[in-house]
Amino acid sequence: MESAGTISVTPIIVALISSHGIIAVALIAIAFRIGRLPTREEHAALQKEVTSNKEELKADIANSEMRLRADIEKTRNEVLQEIRRSHQQIMLVLANHTHDDNGRAVFTLPPDVELVPAPADN
């Protein structure tokens, strides 16, 4: 039984607890947004962007590989042509030389003889 001079503190305690609960929920919601934990929509958008970036990078890598392979093949063909040209020049010079009385080689073609390069065997 309550006496006439006593104040019931139960409603005050309930009011304080409930107000703290509301403040706690509000603070959690604010921390969730400020702390930048992404929402489902934001997470889905970020995941979509990452997937798109991966696909774009894969396409860039594939294009780079194709260009690189084409450059390598072109350079390979140029090197093969140069090797064939040099080989032809050496064979021509060797076929057109003699030796003097001391055994030294005497070349009969001028040093700037250029031949038409042989076709490349790819």
Side-chain angles (χ1 to χ4, degrees), residues 9-104:
V9 291
T10 306
I12 296 172
I13 293 173
V14 170
L16 285 173
I17 291 173
S18 65
S19 67
H20 284 0
I22 292 171
I23 292 172
V25 169
L27 287 175
I28 289 171
I30 291 170
F32 183 73
R33 294 301 297 161
I34 291 175
R36 292 312 295 150
L37 294 173
T39 62
R40 287 183 183 175
E41 294 81 17
E42 290 172 333
H43 178 72
L46 289 171
Q47 197 169 22
K48 184 177 178 182
E49 184 179 347
V50 167
T51 302
S52 173
N53 287 344
K54 282 182 183 179
E55 291 172 1
E56 186 178 320
L57 285 173
K58 284 180 183 178
D60 288 347
I61 289 170
N63 289 338
S64 296
E65 283 179 352
M66 287 175 41
R67 284 196 305 268
L68 184 60
R69 289 181 192 275
D71 289 346
I72 289 172
E73 184 64 24
K74 179 183 173 196
T75 303
R76 178 184 167 275
N77 289 337
E78 290 172 357
V79 168
L80 284 175
Q81 285 179 348
E82 183 63 23
I83 289 171
R84 287 186 182 105
R85 187 185 68 75
S86 297
H87 183 262
Q88 274 189 332
Q89 282 182 318
I90 290 171
M91 295 307 292
L92 182 64
V93 168
L94 287 175
N96 290 297
H97 84 281
T98 59
H99 294 272
D100 64 9
D101 295 336
N102 296 328
R104 289 183 291 195

